[in-house]
Amino acid sequence: MEMVFRALAIYLVLLVVFKIAGRRALLQMTSFDLILLLIISEATQQALLGNDFSVTGATLTIITLVVVDVLFGLIKKYISGAESILDGTPVILVENGVPLIDKLKKVDVSCDDILVAARQNQGITELSKIKYAILERNGHISVIPEEN
């Protein structure tokens, strides 16, 4: 039973940590982000399993994590507003070519991040040619070009 509580506790801690870190953490990863993710995964593995390296312990931990994830999915599906609390809402970062500075600071996204998404997805190289840039729930930036 201790393994179940460990798995639940680590899941909730990671959920809170990544919620605090914001969607910026979900954008394209730098080498620093990759190293941090590897360290977090190793620390998480040690915290989840403790001294129990048995197949049974690992299986129980995996099952617990999957069940918790499914439960959160059901909560988001059936409880109004839960998805917004857990996953956040889309944020408009650029409107009619004008960056919304307060929102950019709040979500820790730079104009350069927006321009990277604009170049990759739409071939746009200037903010003035962007009608809307939206930070989606999944951390990606959607770019809607100005109509000519």
Side-chain angles (χ1 to χ4, degrees):
M1 196 60 166
E2 178 188 351
M3 297 289 283
V4 171
F5 290 129
R6 279 180 188 242
L8 180 60
I10 292 300
Y11 186 93
L12 294 174
V13 165
L14 289 173
L15 184 69
V16 169
V17 166
F18 283 109
K19 184 72 173 168
I20 291 170
R23 287 175 272 188
R24 172 85 174 111
L26 298 175
L27 291 171
Q28 284 83 16
M29 293 181 10
T30 64
S31 57
F32 173 79
D33 295 329
L34 178 61
I35 291 167
L36 183 63
L37 186 62
L38 291 172
I39 292 169
I40 288 172
S41 67
E42 180 63 25
T44 301
Q45 183 265 336
Q46 290 175 0
L48 286 171
L49 298 177
N51 293 327
D52 183 358
F53 297 108
S54 68
V55 172
T56 305
T59 303
L60 184 59
T61 300
I62 291 166
I63 290 170
T64 301
L65 292 173
V66 170
V67 166
V68 170
D69 194 52
V70 168
L71 287 175
F72 272 114
L74 291 173
I75 288 170
K76 288 189 274 186
K77 183 176 180 180
Y78 292 111
I79 297 177
S80 151
E83 187 171 20
S84 294
I85 292 169
L86 293 173
D87 293 339
T89 57
V91 178
I92 297 175
L93 304 174
V94 174
E95 189 170 6
N96 297 317
V98 178
L100 305 175
I101 303 301
D102 56 328
K103 291 184 180 181
L104 289 169
K105 287 180 182 177
K106 183 178 178 184
V107 296
D108 192 28
V109 172
S110 70
C111 288
D112 288 338
D113 294 329
I114 295 168
L115 285 172
V116 167
R119 282 191 304 272
Q120 290 176 343
N121 299 326
Q122 300 288 336
I124 298 172
T125 58
E126 299 174 30
L127 282 177
S128 62
K129 294 182 180 178
I130 298 174
K131 182 170 181 108
Y132 292 105
I134 303 165
L135 180 63
E136 303 292 353
R137 289 180 176 178
N138 63 6
H140 291 104
I141 299 173
S142 297
V143 175
I144 300 167
E146 282 285 347
E147 295 179 17
N148 293 332

